[in-house]
Amino acid sequence: MKFTRVGGAFKNELPCFLFAFFLTTALSAAEFGSATVAAVRTIYDGDTFRVNIDGWPAVVGDSMPVRIKGIDTPELRGKCQREKEAARAAKQFSVARLREGKLIELKGIERDKYFRLLAEVWVDGVSLGEQLILGGFAVPYGGGTKVDWC
């Protein structure tokens, strides 16, 4: 299959397109290891917050957004009052754990579709995602359709 630009500058673009597509797909599925959090900057909701990361250059390590891998919490801007209240409770739970933690680690780091870090979050050796699920503040999430909290 061939595609030709006006003027014929590129006669066979399909192989280039396929290469770029597969490279992008491979990179989006890449895992980037682990990191230690130097400071929690802000906490948006139960599963999203910003951190400074030890040993990372400021351009990528300061105020980096993180989303907890494998879970979903209700949204603060939810569709109903019940979801908004559940979101506040989930946020309060995460705030307490992240603020009282001495060692916060990000494990199995990936990038999500919003360019945030997607990672398992461990606070003093305990999985924050698992704590949120066990406390009823979150549900397991692997992508796709999210749960209706209303």
Side-chain angles (χ1 to χ4, degrees), residues 24-69:
T24 302
T25 303
L27 288 176
S28 67
E31 193 173 287
F32 300 103
S34 300
T36 302
V37 172
V40 175
R41 301 281 305 252
T42 59
I43 301 168
Y44 176 72
D45 63 14
D47 58 18
T48 308
F49 53 97
R50 287 185 172 269
V51 299
N52 292 347
I53 300 175
D54 274 342
W56 286 24
V59 70
V60 293
D62 283 359
S63 198
M64 180 58 62
V66 175
R67 185 169 191 294
I68 301 173
K69 186 188 294 186

Side-chain angles (χ1 to χ4, degrees), residues 84-114:
K84 292 174 186 177
E85 290 170 5
R88 282 193 291 277
K91 179 180 178 175
Q92 290 171 348
F93 184 89
S94 290
V95 166
R97 297 305 174 279
L98 290 167
R99 296 289 185 215
E100 69 193 18
K102 304 293 184 231
L103 175 64
I104 302 170
E105 299 171 284
L106 308 177
K107 298 181 181 183
I109 299 171
E110 300 174 24
R111 285 285 191 184
D112 73 1
K113 64 184 178 182
Y114 301 108

Side-chain angles (χ1 to χ4, degrees), residues 45-49 67-75 90 93-94 118-121 127-134 137-143 146-147 149:
D45 63 14
D47 58 18
T48 308
F49 53 97
R67 185 169 191 294
I68 301 173
K69 186 188 294 186
I71 68 161
D72 183 45
T73 61
E75 301 299 326
F93 184 89
S94 290
L118 181 64
E120 298 170 23
V121 178
S127 168
L128 180 56
E130 287 181 19
Q131 285 186 308
L132 284 160
I133 290 171
L134 291 173
F137 301 106
V139 295
Y141 179 70
K146 292 188 173 191
V147 71
W149 294 93

